[in-house]
Amino acid sequence: MKFTIAPLGDNSLIIELGLDISREIQQKVKKVSSFFEEKTFDWVIETVPGFTTVAVFYDPLKIQSDTLPYESVCEELKLHLEKLEVEEDSRPRIVEIPVCYGGEFGPDLEEVASHNGLSTEEVIDIHANGEYIVYMIGFAPGFPYIGGMSEKIAAPRRSNPRLKIPAGSVGIAGKQTGVYPIETPGGWQLIGKTPRKLFLPEGETPSLLQAGDQIKFVPISIEEFQRIEEDEK
Amino acid sequence: MIKITKPGLLTSVQDLGRYGYQKYGVITSGVMDTTAHRIANLLVGNDENEATLELTLLGPDMEFRDDTLISICGGNLSPSINGKPVKLWRSVLVKAGSKLKFGGCKTGCRAYLAVAGGFDVPEVMDSKSTYIRAGIGGHNGKALQNDDELSIGKPSELSRQISEILAEERKDKAFSEMKWTISSDFTVSSVSKPHVRVMRGRQYDWFTTDSQMKLFTEHFEVTSQSDRMGYRLKGPELSLENKQEMLSEAVSFGTIQVPSEGNPIVLLADRQTTGGYPKIGQIATVDLSIMAQLKPGDKVQFVEVSHEVAQQLYLDREKKLHQLKQGIALKIRQKTK
């Protein structure tokens, strides 16, 4: 696997695996991330994937070496990373996200539709039938950066951002779609809401989604929404 | 137990941070000034990572229900117990029923209050740090409020020994202070024109030579749009040579990023896990405490330091802190023999 390593700070570094957002580079990011989950170094505090990078935060005091910590960390990482290869058949995990579109949950659905000269049903149809991949989690706990939305339903951010967007809201901003795990202010166009919790602070892993997951949005009725919401409690 | 009778501007339970969950978008949180926090813990016989209270500019008022060994380190927010001033950077034994108050902020911006045994709040994702926006950690996931009651954990053997020494001197007074304090090497939490050492950031080369030069020659002021998440600075405008889009990647404590309007932002304890703005610099870990003690209106001068020197500075500082820890334990043991 090809990569470069550069310092981020005096106790962190960034492994760069490519320059553009693509499925291929995403696979490499995923491979490197899972490498750190399988092989645990006692000096690694944690790793953080980006679109084309994996950052490694380490404890310099746990590195026994005559040279400075960064040098010996680089040497050791190179040794391992050079041997890594992305397997062709690595299938992503598929996570279904039920969404109740429109109504009070999706107050901007009509605006997204009229902006694109479509009916609201067409917007839902296009949104729910896309093939989405989670590139990374960031911005807020459990918030997925999702790639793969059709440009047919792209819509600019609201000129007047909302002060409170409820947790679970599904929105569109430009060519991106996303789901808000916690209540935050924001300018995304809201088209629906999921009853599933994306941020699970008490869970074994605090995020429903992980980098590399494939997402499937499944349209549901308000009754189904309420039933799932009850189960999630 | 401690009862809060006035919450102060922003008082929260923090430890050294929540690590291992940034890949899920969970920020690290934790104290802003790690040095002051660690020393506050050492002075009461705690583990360095034990939770302390982080007080901001205007400290809280509180009442101690039991005899409690405490220490206050960091910025000088004018602490007093039952009206009598208390010294910073010392072990202090407080009598049950005494009231601790804070007055104006004389130096720095944040103080750390450690109690022997630590604050007995549940760990969420391996940390006691308060993450206010997500409502988790600390005391009910929030900054402290009026009438909050904080339970205290079990003090260590060393804590008990420190308390014993101070109890002899206290007699009927509301509190007694340890006669010795720690070396001034560690207590620099306020300097009039602070110099902060900075390494070149990952996108340093993207900036114009003029901007690169100005970063290390001119002063920057901390604006009022500054909080635990980050400090927005005002100074010479920093601009890119060519307009380039960056893909979001991890950031770190002390990352200096520059949005397109040209004013740099220093990312601090409550920073988001990833960022998409070009990073012109990265503050050396050893100087983060100086940065964290700056308040709006303060000026800072960045001084360039190489990645190699920053690493060496870190190793040296950690060695000194380790010696300090051993020194405190030794001193206490000699006294109690």
Side-chain angles (χ1 to χ4, degrees):
Chain A
M1 188 181 287
K2 275 196 184 148
F3 60 89
T4 57
I5 301 179
L8 171 60
D10 47 32
N11 48 26
S12 54
L13 56 84
I14 284 191
I15 304 166
E16 199 160 60
L17 297 154
L19 295 169
D20 341 274
I21 301 181
S22 73
R23 281 297 281 270
E24 189 204 331
I25 291 165
Q26 207 290 317
Q27 297 271 308
K28 290 170 84 178
V29 169
K30 199 178 160 191
K31 182 78 199 175
V32 172
S33 298
S34 46
F35 160 74
F36 282 104
E37 261 153 47
E38 284 152 24
K39 170 137 183 93
T40 46
F41 300 95
D42 64 344
W43 42 267
V44 172
I45 297 168
E46 63 180 323
T47 59
V48 183
F51 279 110
T52 60
T53 54
V54 176
V56 182
F57 292 85
Y58 56 88
D59 181 353
L61 302 178
K62 291 213 173 119
I63 296 156
Q64 306 293 331
S65 151
D66 301 332
T67 59
L68 285 168
Y70 177 71
E71 246 178 88
S72 51
V73 165
C74 281
E75 257 174 56
E76 176 139 17
L77 286 184
K78 276 178 189 157
L79 224 63
H80 291 282
L81 296 178
E82 272 162 6
K83 288 183 215 147
L84 290 187
E85 287 304 331
V86 174
E87 298 104 38
E88 284 300 319
D89 60 336
S90 65
R91 294 227 172 270
R93 188 173 74 138
I94 298 169
V95 183
E96 286 194 356
I97 309 250
V99 181
C100 182
Y101 288 97
E104 60 167 316
F105 293 154
D108 303 323
L109 179 63
E110 289 192 13
E111 202 176 319
V112 172
S114 67
H115 179 82
N116 291 292
L118 299 167
S119 67
T120 53
E121 288 75 22
E122 285 169 319
V123 172
I124 295 171
D125 198 49
I126 293 168
H127 191 263
N129 282 300
E131 200 174 285
Y132 301 99
I133 192 96
V134 177
Y135 280 104
M136 56 186 268
I137 307 288
F139 170 65
F143 182 89
Y145 283 86
I146 300 169
M149 193 185 76
S150 164
E151 289 192 24
K152 286 182 199 153
I153 54 171
R157 282 163 199 267
R158 286 169 57 88
S159 53
N160 192 8
R162 287 187 174 89
L163 291 175
K164 275 185 183 176
I165 291 184
S169 295
V170 177
I172 289 177
K175 287 181 256 177
Q176 280 189 80
T177 183
V179 189
Y180 282 86
I182 58 172
E183 185 186 282
T184 62
W188 291 44
Q189 308 272 9
L190 306 184
I191 59 166
K193 192 174 166 187
T194 179
R196 289 206 69 177
K197 286 197 174 108
L198 271 77
F199 176 47
L200 313 146
E202 311 293 335
E204 201 173 308
T205 51
S207 175
L208 173 70
L209 300 166
Q210 292 178 33
D213 284 349
Q214 196 175 314
I215 292 182
K216 208 167 155 29
F217 291 112
V218 181
I220 54 166
S221 66
I222 185 116
E223 290 77 25
E224 284 171 288
F225 181 97
Q226 285 158 348
R227 191 179 49 76
I228 300 172
E229 196 177 38
E230 218 28 64
D231 292 348
E232 288 273 297
K233 272 179 192 161
Chain B
M1 200 186 62
I2 293 177
K3 187 177 176 185
I4 303 295
T5 51
K6 207 178 86 185
L9 189 63
L10 174 65
T11 307
S12 64
V13 176
Q14 301 290 347
D15 57 20
L16 288 174
R18 186 168 281 115
Y19 290 92
Y21 301 94
Q22 288 198 86
K23 57 165 137 332
Y24 305 118
V26 177
I27 65 173
T28 66
S29 310
V31 292
M32 290 277 277
D33 181 346
T34 56
T35 316
H37 161 93
R38 289 166 72 183
I39 292 173
N41 272 324
L42 293 180
L43 288 172
V44 297
N46 285 351
D47 187 86
E48 288 170 46
N49 185 41
E50 184 52 72
T52 62
L53 287 187
E54 181 176 273
L55 326 176
T56 320
L57 289 168
L58 287 169
D61 291 356
M62 62 187 79
E63 231 177 87
F64 292 86
R65 292 287 160 83
D66 316 282
D67 284 8
T68 312
L69 173 65
I70 68 163
S71 77
I72 305 165
C73 296
N76 186 350
L77 311 188
S78 314
S80 65
I81 295 174
N82 291 359
K84 218 177 149 235
V86 192
K87 292 195 178 83
L88 297 179
W89 308 100
R90 272 170 211 254
S91 315
V92 178
L93 184 65
V94 186
K95 193 180 170 186
S98 306
K99 295 185 170 86
L100 170 65
K101 288 187 178 211
F102 290 84
C105 175
K106 284 189 189 151
T107 62
C109 180
R110 291 160 228 280
Y112 294 87
L113 170 71
V115 298
F119 293 100
D120 189 18
V121 297
E123 286 191 357
V124 179
M125 288 177 250
D126 315 324
S127 166
K128 292 182 177 177
S129 287
T130 316
Y131 177 4
I132 294 175
R133 229 181 85 182
I136 60 167
H139 185 71
N140 301 329
K142 286 190 259 187
L144 296 188
Q145 320 278 319
N146 257 349
D147 298 326
D148 275 351
E149 292 182 338
L150 293 165
S151 304
I152 294 171
K154 195 175 176 291
S156 67
E157 185 55 30
L158 184 61
S159 301
R160 290 205 313 103
Q161 290 169 342
I162 301 172
S163 295
E164 265 170 42
I165 296 169
L166 288 167
E168 281 173 32
E169 298 170 27
R170 204 191 68 211
K171 296 174 185 129
D172 324 325
K173 290 180 290 181
F175 69 97
S176 58
E177 291 161 330
M178 193 63 90
K179 289 204 178 65
W180 48 266
T181 180
I182 56 153
S183 146
S184 59
D185 288 0
F186 299 107
T187 61
V188 212
S189 52
S190 96
V191 233
S192 59
K193 269 205 184 141
H195 286 68
V196 166
R197 286 165 286 194
V198 168
M199 292 165 272
R200 293 181 179 193
R202 263 172 59 73
Q203 287 80 31
Y204 178 82
D205 294 338
W206 290 17
F207 290 84
T208 62
T209 39
D210 183 56
S211 297
Q212 292 174 346
M213 190 194 70
K214 281 176 173 158
L215 177 71
F216 294 121
T217 49
E218 299 203 19
H219 283 96
F220 290 87
E221 189 183 310
V222 178
T223 69
S224 57
Q225 284 173 287
S226 297
D227 55 20
R228 278 177 46 85
M229 193 169 166
Y231 283 1
R232 282 177 180 269
L233 305 180
K234 223 180 92 189
E237 221 168 83
L238 305 176
S239 48
L240 296 177
E241 188 67 56
N242 300 301
K243 207 171 179 273
Q244 288 193 63
E245 282 295 316
M246 222 195 98
L247 298 176
S248 284
E249 61 179 34
V251 293
S252 179
F253 201 158
T255 296
I256 307 174
Q257 61 175 25
V258 185
S260 51
E261 36 85 21
N263 288 310
I265 301 172
V266 180
L267 300 177
L268 299 166
D270 280 351
R271 67 197 175 279
Q272 289 177 4
T273 55
T274 55
Y277 294 125
K279 302 186 264 283
I280 195 169
Q282 174 69 40
I283 296 177
T285 302
V286 288
D287 283 353
L288 283 173
S289 290
I290 300 175
M291 199 68 208
Q293 288 292 353
L294 297 183
K295 53 179 167 289
D298 286 346
K299 287 197 166 70
V300 60
Q301 160 98 61
F302 294 126
V303 180
E304 186 172 3
V305 69
S306 71
H307 182 238
E308 289 74 25
V309 170
Q311 290 181 75
Q312 196 56 54
L313 287 169
Y314 178 79
L315 295 176
D316 294 347
R317 211 270 314 262
E318 286 304 310
K319 202 168 159 189
K320 273 194 189 171
L321 269 167
H322 185 68
Q323 286 164 351
L324 175 74
K325 182 180 174 178
Q326 291 182 317
I328 291 173
L330 195 68
K331 219 163 175 138
I332 299 302
R333 260 181 234 125
Q334 283 169 346
K335 267 267 185 184
T336 42
K337 252 178 201 166

